[in-house]
Amino acid sequence: MRQTREFANPPVVLGYATIAGPKEGEGPLAAYFDKVINNLYYYEDTWEKAEQKMFLEVAEMALQKASVKKEEVDFFLAGDLLNQIISANFAAKSLGIPFFGLYNACATFYEGLILGAMLIAGGFAKKVLVGVSSHYATVERQYRNPTEQGVQKTPTSQWTVTGAAAVVLGDGEGKIKIPRVTVGKALDYDMFDPSDMGGAMVPAAFDTLLVHFKETGLVYDYYDLMLTGDLARFGQQILVKLLQENNINFGQRLNDCGIMIYRPEQQVNAGGSGTACSALVTAGYVFNELSQGKIHKFLGIGTGALLSQVTTQQGMAIPVIAHAVAFESY
């Protein structure tokens, strides 16, 4: 069963946009975001409405930057972390584009990129809009504890990124191309702690990395930069150790979006997480570096912990997944 697909006519990135939250706007990548909101309510009366507003706005921004009208888009592939992916649903309602709602937890952005690339490469679409969002307060309230309680967090816990990102993919010419993708498998390594999702997702990232290089036959130093989605500080350390035990050393070329998006002094425990974590870093920082020719070959590995409140309360282990997408610019 081959998990990697290489495209004879690689889909291209036509346009992209990012909106970041206030904490993300204080981080080291702030200059790469198109817009930074100044509070979690974003001039709405609930956090959920604020997230929906970000989602719709970033989708419209990406279309504008790509010089693409929404009537020209064949499919809208989108998701978020809230129950019934309500942020994506409300954005889809407003956009009026044929819609596929997606959920792979924090790997949803990379899931969408893979599906969008396959639709274009397979001749089923000319243009596809991919989008995701997450919001610290909405996720905290849904998955963890009432925000008013101010519950103390463990060192391995992570801070959900507030933000939204959208990418327009298409056929034809473009500076940034998607030459290959690797679809991950859902794995279960008997990890039960929802406060250590970075550690739980390590096996999925490790497996997808190995599969990608094995199936493509690429040498380990092929990519200029490789980023996992949100393993954060402790998960990244475990991944590096696992790779070293298999005689693989990527050195400084391997990093993690959850580590990069915040400064160490921002008090985010192990680092960032959330659907928007890898999306903001990829569509903000990485695409800028590719566009300017500072890097030419990039591999992103979106990581997701496929748990819910119910499965956690019932003592079930956490299934995890990781998807890899390669971007190259010439």
Side-chain angles (χ1 to χ4, degrees):
M1 183 187 302
R2 187 173 175 84
Q3 295 172 238
T4 303
R5 296 292 184 272
E6 302 201 44
F7 304 123
N9 297 302
V12 300
V13 175
L14 299 176
Y16 49 90
T18 53
I19 297 177
K23 199 174 191 75
E24 294 69 26
E26 297 171 355
L29 303 183
Y32 296 97
F33 304 138
D34 292 297
K35 183 175 184 177
V36 176
I37 63 175
N38 58 12
N39 67 79
L40 292 178
Y41 281 100
Y42 197 19
Y43 308 110
E44 298 289 338
D45 57 3
T46 71
W47 294 318
E48 288 75 15
K49 290 180 181 178
E51 184 173 349
Q52 293 165 20
K53 181 178 179 180
M54 283 194 303
F55 207 136
L56 178 59
E57 186 174 342
V58 83
E60 293 174 336
M61 288 170 61
L63 291 170
Q64 183 178 16
K65 290 176 68 177
S67 298
V68 172
K69 298 178 181 179
K70 63 182 182 180
E71 292 80 11
E72 299 177 85
V73 178
D74 296 294
F75 301 109
F76 179 39
L77 311 181
D80 57 87
L81 292 176
L82 298 187
N83 289 337
Q84 288 78 51
I85 56 170
I86 57 171
S87 301
N89 292 345
F90 276 76
K93 176 194 69 172
S94 298
L95 290 169
I97 300 170
F99 171 55
F100 287 109
L102 308 179
Y103 185 83
N104 254 192
C106 301
T108 301
F109 181 61
Y110 275 81
E111 177 192 16
L113 290 170
I114 289 174
L115 292 172
M118 287 181 172
L119 284 168
I120 292 167
F124 298 101
K126 294 284 188 181
K127 293 179 177 63
V128 172
L129 176 62
V130 178
V132 298
S133 71
S134 58
H135 190 294
Y136 171 78
T138 64
V139 168
E140 192 73 11
R141 174 157 62 190
Q142 177 174 297
Y143 285 97
R144 299 187 180 100
N145 300 283
T147 54
E148 296 83 359
Q149 287 185 359
V151 174
Q152 185 173 353
K153 299 179 181 296
T154 66
T156 58
S157 67
Q158 295 167 240
W159 190 279
T160 302
V161 168
T162 297
V167 178
V168 182
L169 301 178
D171 58 2
E173 297 298 319
K175 186 172 181 62
I176 303 175
K177 302 180 185 296
I178 300 178
R180 66 194 68 88
V181 300
T182 299
V183 180
K185 295 180 180 179
L187 305 176
D188 182 349
Y189 276 73
D190 286 335
M191 301 290 285
F192 293 87
D193 185 1
S195 297
D196 184 17
M197 291 188 292
M201 292 185 291
V202 168
F206 177 71
D207 182 73
T208 297
L209 267 172
L210 292 189
V211 168
H212 182 81
F213 281 97
K214 179 181 178 180
E215 293 187 347
T216 60
L218 298 173
V219 294
Y220 290 132
D221 62 355
Y222 178 82
Y223 294 103
D224 303 315
L225 177 66
M226 293 176 288
L227 297 179
T228 48
D230 54 350
L231 302 184
R233 184 157 47 97
F234 295 112
Q236 178 74 356
Q237 291 172 3
I238 298 169
L239 176 61
V240 169
K241 185 176 180 179
L242 276 174
L243 290 168
Q244 290 174 344
E245 289 175 353
N246 285 266
N247 299 314
I248 302 171
N249 188 352
F250 291 119
Q252 297 299 312
R253 288 177 293 109
L254 177 64
N255 206 337
D256 181 77
C257 298
I259 295 173
M260 294 175 63
I261 199 163
Y262 296 121
R263 303 181 191 278
E265 63 269 22
Q266 284 187 272
Q267 298 183 342
V268 291
N269 302 300
S273 67
T275 327
C277 184
S278 63
L280 286 183
V281 177
T282 302
Y285 170 74
V286 173
F287 284 178
N288 179 79
E289 298 294 281
L290 287 166
S291 296
Q292 295 190 11
K294 295 181 180 179
I295 61 174
H296 297 283
K297 300 171 184 176
F298 166 73
L299 183 69
I301 306 99
T303 45
L306 308 176
L307 76 167
S308 75
Q309 308 99 303
V310 173
T311 59
T312 298
Q313 291 165 2
Q314 293 183 0
M316 299 172 69
I318 303 171
V320 291
I321 197 162
H323 300 299
V325 178
F327 295 92
E328 297 185 5
S329 64
Y330 303 97

